[in-house]
Amino acid sequence: MTSMSDVARAAGVSAATVSRALRGEPGVSEATRRYVTEVAKRMRYAIARDASSLAGGRKYAVAVLTADVGRGDLLAGAEGALRTAGYDVLLYVLRDGGTRAEFFEELPALGRRVDGVLALSVDLTDAERDALDALDVPVVAVRDDDLREALRLAAGHVLELGHRDVALVLAEDVDESYDELLVAEGLSVRPEWTLWSSSTVAGGEQVVDVLLDGDRLPTAVICSSGEVALGVFLRLRRDGRGVPEDVSIVSLDGPELARAVGITAVEGAWRERGEHAVHRLLAGLRDEPHDVQPPSVHLVVRESTGRR
Amino acid sequence: MTSMSDVARAAGVSAATVSRALRGEPGVSEATRRYVTEVAKRMRYAIARDASSLAGGRKYAVAVLTADVGRGDLLAGAEGALRTAGYDVLLYVLRDGGTRAEFFEELPALGRRVDGVLALSVDLTDAERDALDALDVPVVAVRDDDLREALRLAAGHVLELGHRDVALVLAEDVDESYDELLVAEGLSVRPEWTLWSSSTVAGGEQVVDVLLDGDRLPTAVICSSGEVALGVFLRLRRDGRGVPEDVSIVSLDGPELARAVGITAVEGAWRERGEHAVHRLLAGLRDEPHDVQPPSVHLVVRESTGRR
DNA sequence: CTGTTAGCGCTTTCAA
DNA sequence: TTGAAAGCGCTAACAG
């Protein structure tokens, strides 16, 4: 395996010069740099990163934490941006409580391996957050949802279409009702139209059963997951209700499903968000400020929503 | 940052002994090993991997290639198994032609960073395969589909339920018709019942339109994707056909969607497959044989299939 | 601008 | 069973 000194010898310079030339460090004449670079390429030289980071302190690696690999685009976006910036991506999947505890158990070792940490879709507890901060490397965390913002978009959309009677179906583990937010957007709220459901098609169908028990139907339903939206859609259709003629449906998540079925949905630009997170992290590594706003979620209008 | 020699000093032994003790190498008395281990833990010592691999040659890292992060479970399974075995996971997302070319461009450098390569869901060309093999580290590749096997399971299932008139909907980019396979399973084949469709709900719906144009409907439809299965399902229902009373539906993929909607589907045990791939790779690293069969795909029977 | 000299923190002979 | 010494392949001072 050709080493840096091999290249140095072949180019007739010292290893230090090769090092400087290849890394674009100042203090090398352009001519030398060009020549060294060329020799290195010709010799198919690849730097030994261990040696480099051992000597230099920088690891050229970032740990990427993810709760599960569901939101693939977020991860892919981050990976691409890191790779482009010359960093290796050390993946850690914090699947369940077990792997998660284990990870935080062995955190100290991580600090010696990476220059920074990116937490994607991981809901960090305060203790976990503290443990990461104690690592003494920059940490950037990205949540993979932004329910309030998504809800705002969805509410604005149906309002604009003339809807006033809007039901909201939340995931079971959400404990807020978001009434004030809806009211703030200009929608009136009926308590019986805020529902909680498991994020499944069957759950969505049951929701419609509940709604049908009421004295009248809402004209629009906002669902927190694609599965629920689909369930609502199917059940309404089975009951002879037109979508969107009788009821409009908006999904706050589940972009693939929504796209496949043609449901209006809030989508997250996840790849871009992953890239953005990396830029923030890299700025942190360089101690630069980074004020750029993350790409925001947006609404993709499809066939499930119509004018009231 | 406490180093190995710090631990050595604190334990009153040499660094070499600490190294041997901590790695479980022979040549250390049990008493010493226990003591050193304890001192190290007390000092919260974490080994510097750069130094370790620089000196020892082993990298304790595996490159994991993935075409996209769609099949998250496969990746998660591999990550878990690697982590358990003490290996770092270097993630490479080969999203498109560009990143892919770039990756293979810089392959040589990879050989210096990892002990092995795991290719998940990546369709390697012969040239790419050769390039990887030239890296001189073990390479294990796992395809994320096994259409023939899935089809065999699905065909067997509908056959067992008494179906003889079975339609098959393949993805657009599949160029085989799999007639012989179906015939071998005991199904008769009508050419007009082998269809190709885009993997969308709309595509599935169109497929039903085509089928309805025929002189009679098949009694079962095997779909290569969850979206298509859903489209078929929806369109049949809209036409007043009962599923599974009139037509049974089996999906060859799209486990989440199939589960959400209640469609019988072939599922892949992806997590286990990821783990299995890692075991094969690790065996390769240790130069041991590994004959264990990978976990096979299986059929999950739901409400979309019934006896003819 | 370039070279020389010291390590970085380990693992691995080789002796003891 | 243990220790001393010699690197692994780089980067970072320090000279020149």
Side-chain angles (χ1 to χ4, degrees):
Chain A
M1 190 102 301
T2 72
S3 76
M4 190 176 267
S5 37
D6 294 331
V7 177
R9 202 170 317 119
V13 296
S14 73
T17 298
V18 175
S19 173
R20 288 190 276 249
L22 261 31
R23 282 178 305 147
E25 286 276 289
V28 195
S29 74
E30 250 330 292
T32 312
R33 188 189 306 278
R34 234 193 301 279
Y35 182 56
V36 167
T37 308
E38 192 215 299
V39 173
K41 188 189 300 176
R42 188 150 38 82
M43 298 178 75
R44 305 173 148 283
Y45 168 70
I47 197 171
R49 240 130 126 166
D50 320 315
S52 173
S53 40
L54 181 57
R58 266 182 255 71
K59 310 297 180 187
Y60 299 101
V62 166
V64 174
L65 278 40
T66 177
D68 69 76
V69 197
R71 196 77 76 178
D73 279 347
L74 184 60
L75 179 55
E79 191 273 346
L82 283 169
R83 189 75 51 207
T84 301
Y87 284 85
D88 273 341
V89 175
L90 282 187
L91 179 68
Y92 291 84
V93 181
L94 274 36
R95 182 167 31 270
D96 50 41
T99 53
R100 191 155 175 151
E102 202 173 315
F103 172 80
F104 282 97
E105 198 78 15
E106 302 185 349
L107 243 201
L110 189 63
R112 308 196 58 147
R113 262 180 246 170
V114 298
D115 300 312
V117 177
L118 206 55
L120 306 178
S121 333
V122 192
D123 251 328
L124 296 171
T125 65
D126 287 347
E128 289 172 344
R129 178 77 216 194
D130 288 347
L132 283 177
D133 287 336
L135 235 41
D136 203 35
V137 298
V139 176
V140 167
V142 181
R143 297 264 337 234
D144 73 349
D145 63 338
D146 190 341
L147 194 53
R148 303 191 71 83
E149 180 56 21
L151 198 44
R152 203 167 281 126
L153 278 174
H157 176 59
V158 296
L159 189 68
E160 199 176 351
L161 290 174
H163 296 269
R164 291 297 173 275
D165 300 333
V166 179
L168 173 61
V169 187
L170 296 163
E172 286 171 323
D173 58 350
V174 173
D175 47 9
E176 284 183 80
S177 68
Y178 294 93
D179 286 354
E180 19 45 269
L181 191 151
L182 295 180
V183 170
E185 284 294 314
L187 292 171
S188 61
V189 170
R190 287 177 53 167
E192 66 271 33
W193 282 352
T194 294
L195 301 162
W196 282 262
S197 157
S198 69
S199 294
T200 62
V201 174
E205 294 179 320
Q206 287 163 20
V207 159
V208 176
D209 288 332
V210 173
L211 290 174
L212 287 170
D213 275 349
D215 53 346
R216 65 197 166 95
L217 276 182
T219 64
V221 182
I222 298 175
C223 307
S224 65
S225 87
E227 284 81 5
V228 169
L230 177 57
V232 168
F233 174 79
L234 294 176
R235 185 69 185 80
L236 284 172
R237 295 282 292 254
R238 179 151 24 105
D239 202 65
R241 317 283 173 152
V243 174
E245 300 78 15
D246 299 316
V247 182
S248 286
I249 301 176
V250 185
S251 176
L252 300 180
D253 199 359
E256 308 82 11
L257 193 52
R259 189 176 321 132
V261 188
I263 290 177
T264 292
V266 177
E267 305 200 350
W270 294 114
R271 166 150 305 148
E272 293 74 10
R273 295 202 137 199
E275 292 165 357
H276 178 264
V278 169
H279 295 317
R280 260 177 56 202
L281 184 68
L282 295 180
L285 288 176
R286 288 191 290 260
D287 242 336
E288 292 167 2
H290 179 90
D291 310 322
V292 186
Q293 286 302 306
S296 60
V297 296
H298 60 274
L299 190 79
V300 179
V301 179
R302 300 201 178 83
E303 305 89 68
S304 69
T305 45
R307 192 156 286 285
R308 154 90 262 128
Chain B
M1 192 101 299
T2 72
S3 76
M4 191 175 264
S5 37
D6 294 332
V7 176
R9 201 171 315 119
V13 296
S14 71
T17 298
V18 175
S19 173
R20 289 191 273 250
L22 260 30
R23 281 179 305 147
E25 286 277 288
V28 194
S29 75
E30 251 330 292
T32 312
R33 187 188 307 277
R34 234 193 300 280
Y35 182 56
V36 168
T37 309
E38 193 214 299
V39 172
K41 187 188 302 175
R42 189 150 38 80
M43 298 178 75
R44 303 170 148 284
Y45 168 70
I47 197 172
R49 234 123 136 164
D50 321 314
S52 173
S53 37
L54 179 57
R58 266 180 256 71
K59 311 295 178 189
Y60 299 102
V62 166
V64 174
L65 278 40
T66 177
D68 68 77
V69 196
R71 197 77 78 178
D73 279 347
L74 185 60
L75 179 55
E79 190 273 349
L82 283 169
R83 190 74 50 207
T84 301
Y87 285 86
D88 272 340
V89 175
L90 282 188
L91 180 68
Y92 291 84
V93 181
L94 274 35
R95 181 167 32 271
D96 49 41
T99 55
R100 190 152 175 157
E102 202 174 316
F103 172 80
F104 281 97
E105 197 79 15
E106 302 184 348
L107 244 200
L110 189 65
R112 307 196 60 145
R113 263 181 245 169
V114 298
D115 301 313
V117 177
L118 207 55
L120 305 178
S121 333
V122 192
D123 251 329
L124 296 172
T125 65
D126 287 348
E128 290 171 344
R129 179 76 217 192
D130 289 347
L132 283 176
D133 286 338
L135 237 39
D136 203 36
V137 299
V139 177
V140 166
V142 181
R143 297 267 334 236
D144 72 349
D145 63 337
D146 190 341
L147 194 54
R148 301 192 73 82
E149 179 57 19
L151 198 43
R152 201 168 281 127
L153 278 174
H157 176 59
V158 295
L159 188 69
E160 198 176 351
L161 290 174
H163 296 270
R164 292 297 173 274
D165 300 334
V166 179
L168 172 61
V169 186
L170 296 164
E172 288 171 321
D173 58 349
V174 173
D175 48 8
E176 284 184 80
S177 68
Y178 294 94
D179 285 354
E180 19 45 269
L181 191 152
L182 295 180
V183 170
E185 284 294 313
L187 292 173
S188 60
V189 170
R190 287 179 51 170
E192 66 272 33
W193 283 352
T194 294
L195 301 162
W196 282 263
S197 157
S198 69
S199 294
T200 62
V201 174
E205 294 179 320
Q206 288 163 20
V207 159
V208 177
D209 289 333
V210 172
L211 291 174
L212 287 170
D213 275 349
D215 54 344
R216 64 195 167 95
L217 276 181
T219 65
V221 182
I222 298 176
C223 306
S224 66
S225 88
E227 285 79 6
V228 168
L230 177 57
V232 169
F233 174 80
L234 293 176
R235 184 70 185 79
L236 284 171
R237 295 283 291 256
R238 180 150 22 105
D239 203 66
R241 317 284 172 152
V243 175
E245 300 79 16
D246 299 314
V247 182
S248 286
I249 301 176
V250 185
S251 175
L252 301 180
D253 199 358
E256 309 81 11
L257 192 52
R259 189 177 321 132
V261 188
I263 290 177
T264 292
V266 177
E267 304 199 351
W270 295 114
R271 167 151 302 147
E272 293 74 9
R273 294 202 137 198
E275 292 164 357
H276 178 264
V278 169
H279 295 318
R280 261 177 54 202
L281 184 68
L282 296 180
L285 289 176
R286 289 190 290 260
D287 244 336
E288 292 166 1
H290 179 89
D291 311 321
V292 184
Q293 286 303 305
S296 60
V297 296
H298 59 274
L299 191 79
V300 180
V301 178
R302 300 202 178 85
E303 305 91 65
S304 69
T305 45
R307 191 156 288 286
R308 150 97 261 125

